[in-house]
Amino acid sequence: MLTRSALIYLSRQEGLKNFATRFSPFKKLTTRFIAGETTAEAVAAIRDINARGCSASFDHLNESVSNVAATEDEVREYLHLLDLIDQTGINSNVSIKLTQFGLEIDPELAYRNARQIVEESKRRNNFVRVDMEGSNVTQVTIDIFKRLRSEFELNDVGIVLQSYLYRTEQDARDLLKIPARIRLCKGAYDEPAEVAYPDKKDVDANYVRVMQLLLSSGTYHGIATHDPKMIDATVDFVQREGIPKSAFEFQMLYGIRRDLQEQLARDGWGMRVYVPYGKHWYPYFMRRLAERPANIWFVMKNFLKG
Ligand SMILES: Cc1cc2nc3c(=O)[nH]c(=O)nc-3n(C[C@H](O)[C@H](O)[C@H](O)COP(=O)(O)OP(=O)(O)OC[C@H]3O[C@@H](n4cnc5c(N)ncnc54)[C@H](O)[C@@H]3O)c2cc1C
C-alpha cells in the first residue's frame, strides 16, 4: 500500500506530472477534487456551492513556478478572477500560493506579484488568502505576509498556519498581535520530525489549542478541516465561550465531505469551500490522495469503470 510520504514524494515528480496531466483518462479522475481546467467550470462550481449556502475561495492551481513570465501569467489570471467575481456576482474570495508568484526565484518578485493582487482585491472590496506551503518557505511566507499586512488592512489579506508544525502556536500568538486573519489547517506536506509533530494525536491537540487561541482573539478566522472531532471541539468551545457563529467560518476543500459542508451551512455556521481549478492539478490532487489513501481505491475503481 502506498504511504502518505510516498504519495507526497510522487506529487513532486515532474515526469509523472507531465504524463498524468497529458493522459486524458487520468484527467477525468480528478473531477472529484478539482472543479475543472477552466475559469468557466470553476465559476459554475462556485454558483452551485453558493446555492448550497456556502461561500468560496478560488484557487488557480499552480506552484513552484520557475520562470518570471509564468509568474506574470498567474498575476493576470488572478486579476481576471477578481473581475469575474464582480461581473458574475458569485460569493468568493481568492487564495494564492507564493511559489506560484515566484517565491523560489526571488522573494521580492513573489512579494511584488502578490501585492498587485492584494491591491486590486482591496479596490474591489475582496480578500486574498496567502496559502501556506512546505516548511522550507514558512518563514519567508510569514515575512511577505507581514509586509503586505503593514501596507493593507486586516480585511484585505490573511494567512494560513498549519497545526502540524511545532512553531505554529508561537506564530499564531505573534500574528494575532498585528492582528491578522488566519486560516488554521493541519498541514498537507511531508515534514520531518525536526519541525513537525509526527503523531496525528499531537497534530490534533495542537489544532485544538491554536483554534481556541484564534477564536478567543475577536478577529475573524477560518477553521479549515473536515475532521468531525476538530469541528465538534470548535462548536463546543464557541458555545461554552459565548462566541457568536458570525465571528468565524469553517472551511473545507471542494469535493470533500460535501454532506458535512451542507449540514454546517444549514445549521447557520459560516462555511467556505476552497475551489481549485486549472491545468496544473497534479501536486494538489496527489496531496488529496495522500491525506486519505482510501481515495486511491475510489480513483482506481472509476478508472476501471472507464
Ligand atoms: C479550506 C482549506 C484550505 C487549506 N489550505 C491549506 C494550506 O494553505 N496549506 C496546507 O498545508 N494545507 C492546507 N489545507 C489542507 C490541510 O492542511 C489538510 O491536509 C486537510 O484538510 C486534511 O486534514 P483534515 O483537517 O481534514 O483532517 P484529517 O485528520 O486529515 O481528516 C479527517 C477526516 O476528513 C476526511 N478527509 C480528509 N482529507 C480527505 C481527503 N483528501 N479525501 C477524503 N476525505 C478526507 C476523512 O473523513 C478524514 O477521516 C487546507 C484545507 C482546507 C480545508
Side-chain angles (χ1 to χ4, degrees):
M1 187 63 183
L2 283 168
T3 62
R4 179 172 184 275
S5 298
L7 285 161
I8 292 179
Y9 171 79
L10 292 177
S11 79
R12 292 194 298 264
Q13 299 311 301
E14 280 297 306
L16 258 182
K17 175 175 120 183
N18 293 337
F19 170 73
T21 48
R22 284 185 195 136
F23 186 54
S24 57
F26 201 78
K27 257 195 258 179
K28 271 193 258 153
L29 304 176
T30 64
T31 54
R32 169 159 180 208
F33 300 117
I34 317 289
E37 290 204 347
T38 64
T39 44
E41 288 167 300
V43 167
I46 291 180
R47 280 194 205 284
D48 177 53
I49 286 162
N50 288 167
R52 293 189 281 121
C54 309
S55 56
S57 191
F58 262 114
D59 168 41
H60 183 242
L61 291 166
N62 211 350
E63 49 197 90
S64 300
V65 173
S66 59
N67 78 74
V68 175
T71 71
E72 289 162 0
D73 290 344
E74 292 300 320
V75 172
R76 273 192 290 280
E77 180 75 20
Y78 272 95
L79 295 177
H80 171 59
L81 277 183
L82 288 163
D83 184 36
L84 205 58
I85 292 169
D86 282 355
Q87 275 180 36
T88 55
I90 53 176
N91 180 356
S92 184
N93 61 29
V94 296
S95 291
I96 60 172
K97 286 188 171 54
L98 292 182
T99 68
Q100 168 175 41
F101 287 147
L103 188 62
E104 288 158 343
I105 306 170
D106 175 9
E108 199 56 32
L109 171 71
Y111 158 74
R112 281 200 309 273
N113 282 335
R115 193 183 186 290
Q116 284 190 63
I117 309 301
V118 179
E119 192 170 37
E120 178 63 6
S121 164
K122 178 182 177 64
R123 197 178 71 74
R124 294 176 178 277
N125 280 323
N126 210 323
F127 176 79
V128 178
R129 176 77 63 183
V130 180
D131 285 352
M132 188 56 82
E133 303 177 68
S135 62
N136 57 323
V137 294
T138 305
Q139 189 57 52
V140 65
T141 302
I142 290 177
D143 292 344
I144 291 176
F145 167 74
K146 282 185 173 164
R147 202 166 152 195
L148 291 168
R149 183 61 189 86
S150 70
E151 297 172 83
F152 296 93
E153 288 167 50
L154 176 67
N155 290 327
D156 298 331
V157 60
I159 192 166
V160 178
L161 292 178
Q162 301 151 320
S163 74
Y164 62 16
L165 295 183
Y166 303 133
R167 58 177 288 166
T168 285
E169 184 175 345
Q170 192 54 50
D171 285 336
R173 290 184 188 281
D174 293 344
L175 288 164
L176 286 174
K177 285 188 202 140
I178 299 177
R181 282 175 58 172
I182 296 168
R183 172 201 294 153
L184 179 65
C185 66
K186 290 189 188 178
Y189 298 81
D190 193 27
E191 300 294 357
E194 290 76 48
V195 298
Y197 295 105
D199 288 338
K200 182 172 160 49
K201 68 171 188 346
D202 297 321
V203 177
D204 290 357
N206 199 36
Y207 193 99
V208 173
R209 231 174 3 251
V210 179
M211 172 275 289
Q212 295 186 348
L213 197 66
L214 297 186
L215 297 187
S216 305
S217 70
T219 297
Y220 190 90
H221 300 293
I223 301 301
T225 181
H226 317 92
D227 187 343
K229 289 203 299 299
M230 300 301 108
I231 292 167
D232 288 349
T234 305
V235 169
D236 286 350
F237 180 70
V238 297
Q239 285 176 345
R240 204 166 60 234
E241 297 296 313
I243 296 168
K245 285 179 172 173
S246 58
F248 73 100
E249 63 189 25
F250 285 111
Q251 300 183 348
M252 293 192 200
L253 300 176
Y254 178 82
I256 302 181
R257 294 303 311 264
R258 203 177 136 136
D259 55 335
L260 197 51
Q261 294 171 12
E262 287 179 8
Q263 184 61 54
L264 287 165
R266 267 200 305 275
D267 292 347
W269 301 96
M271 167 57 62
R272 186 176 301 276
V273 180
Y274 182 99
V275 180
Y277 77 97
K279 291 188 174 20
H280 302 284
W281 46 262
Y282 177 77
Y284 176 91
F285 176 71
M286 293 299 281
R287 287 198 296 274
R288 301 295 77 83
L289 295 189
E291 271 153 16
R292 193 162 172 264
N295 284 336
I296 297 174
W297 296 114
F298 167 86
V299 165
M300 291 296 287
K301 245 182 7 215
N302 286 321
F303 185 68
L304 294 173
K305 264 197 238 156

